[in-house]
Amino acid sequence: MLHLVILGALLVVSVVHATFYPTYPNIKTCIGLPVQYSCENTTVVTDSCCNVVRGGLVLQAQYWDTYTGLESHGQLLPKGSWSIHGLLPVNCDGTFGQYCDLSRQYDPKPSPSTLPNGTVITPYKGPSVKDFIHEFGRSDLLRYMDTFWINQGAPNEELWAREFSKHGTCTSTFDVACYEPGYKEHQEVVNFFETVVKVFQMYPTYDMLAAAGILPSNTTTYTRAQIANALYSQTGADPWLGCHDGSALEEIWYFHHVLGTEQYGNFKTLDSITPSTCTETGIWYYERTPKSEKAVSH
């Protein structure tokens, strides 16, 4: 009994001393403003924190990797699921930015290392973005990311850092100004990760394909129409299909316009504006390498 009392007291102390900071932006100024989809506005957008002005065509990108290269370190792919690539912002005119705010550059291995205008991206050497997540008490988010947001050939957190630095800084609703007053450093980074996870969960690609009889196989190939039609039947739009060497399915992008903020707004699925890199027939959806997967809860 004494043991239980002491344990209970310790739990109470741990809860009392745990610090949780909010990660959401300040959207009070958005109340009463016109509600409109990004890239479809008919009136001038007056607040880029309330609507996705920069990076208004949003791509939810997923990978189908067959191995990680770090299996010996326990870095495994989620069984029965594709993995997260990220949220890729494209401007309404079809252009796109990269590493748009170098004061928030957390990528230890920038790619590209030099922007088209000649700007050199200095590799980041500070604390890991995992530490940022811990600062906000989001161990639940970190567990999910370590399960579904998997890098290949390098630790997961390097991919996460790249996706925020390269893409998150190019989306207007993740600007630091959107979190004022009371902004806490790295607040928008964690909020970006939350948003990436939320949108990924909209598209259970593995299940949608499996329901149409399309499963990973080293003996059976599929047509591009079979894959596209299976996804269209559940999303109402044609995503971009990416294949290595034209025949090995490895990536899918779902296109959107967003009503409101990227964090909490409504995502309207659109047809891809980019031609597929997959051939029309003979597409391989390869099985993963043995021991490269782990069972996960969806």
Side-chain angles (χ1 to χ4, degrees):
M1 178 64 72
L2 180 60
H3 173 74
L4 292 176
V5 171
I6 294 173
L7 178 61
L10 289 173
L11 289 173
V12 170
V13 171
S14 66
V15 170
V16 169
H17 288 282
T19 302
F20 298 95
Y21 297 96
T23 57
Y24 47 77
N26 180 7
I27 60 171
K28 291 180 181 178
T29 58
C30 304
I31 299 172
L33 292 180
V35 178
Q36 49 203 343
Y37 279 100
S38 56
C39 300
E40 298 180 18
N41 54 294
T42 56
T43 59
V44 176
V45 176
T46 58
D47 194 325
S48 62
C49 289
C50 299
N51 297 276
V52 186
V53 176
R54 191 178 68 253
L57 178 61
V58 183
L59 284 55
Q60 196 285 314
Q62 301 184 16
Y63 283 136
W64 181 257
D65 289 326
T66 57
Y67 67 95
T68 70
L70 292 178
E71 283 83 356
S72 62
H73 296 271
Q75 188 165 300
L76 302 174
L77 296 160
K79 188 173 184 178
S81 175
W82 284 50
S83 62
I84 301 172
H85 175 174
L87 282 178
L88 316 181
V90 178
N91 297 323
C92 299
D93 61 3
T95 62
F96 61 91
Q98 302 177 91
Y99 298 98
C100 294
D101 183 354
L102 296 183
S103 70
R104 297 183 291 158
Q105 200 305 86
Y106 306 115
D107 186 352
K109 298 176 183 176
S111 177
S113 58
T114 304
L115 297 180
N117 64 5
T119 300
V120 175
I121 311 298
T122 303
Y124 174 71
K125 299 184 183 300
S128 166
V129 293
K130 277 191 173 183
D131 294 339
F132 303 172
I133 300 171
H134 281 303
E135 289 171 4
F136 285 83
R138 292 302 310 275
S139 58
D140 58 325
L141 175 64
L142 183 57
R143 283 193 299 271
Y144 190 94
M145 291 168 62
D146 258 331
T147 301
F148 292 97
W149 201 346
I150 309 301
N151 203 359
Q152 188 175 60
N156 294 333
E157 58 265 30
E158 290 189 10
L159 174 60
W160 309 341
R162 175 166 303 156
E163 291 304 303
F164 173 79
S165 303
K166 185 175 181 178
H167 300 302
T169 59
C170 298
T171 300
S172 65
T173 61
F174 293 107
D175 287 346
V176 169
C178 302
Y179 296 82
E180 297 290 3
Y183 168 74
K184 177 177 170 60
E185 188 177 18
H186 307 138
Q187 182 177 349
E188 82 287 13
V189 182
V190 181
N191 196 206
F192 173 76
F193 294 156
E194 292 171 328
T195 304
V196 171
V197 165
K198 177 196 73 172
V199 186
F200 168 72
Q201 291 173 336
M202 292 170 55
Y203 298 103
T205 300
Y206 185 95
D207 292 343
M208 289 191 287
L209 293 176
I214 300 172
L215 291 164
S217 173
N218 293 341
T219 59
T220 301
T221 62
Y222 303 97
T223 68
R224 191 171 70 206
Q226 283 178 298
I227 298 169
N229 290 341
L231 298 174
Y232 182 90
S233 72
Q234 300 306 306
T235 65
D238 286 319
W240 177 80
L241 305 178
C243 286
H244 178 70
D245 289 336
S247 62
L249 185 64
E250 64 178 1
E251 190 163 11
I252 288 178
W253 298 347
Y254 297 95
F255 286 65
H256 312 83
H257 286 164
V258 182
L259 184 74
T261 66
E262 188 162 312
Q263 291 91 321
Y264 308 119
N266 183 65
F267 280 66
K268 179 170 71 173
T269 311
L270 307 170
D271 289 337
S272 170
I273 62 170
T274 303
S276 172
T277 57
C278 299
T279 57
E280 291 189 9
T281 60
I283 296 174
W284 292 99
Y285 180 18
Y286 284 118
E287 298 173 24
R288 286 178 171 152
T289 305
K291 299 184 180 179
S292 288
E293 291 185 313
K294 64 180 177 182
V296 298
S297 298
H298 296 272

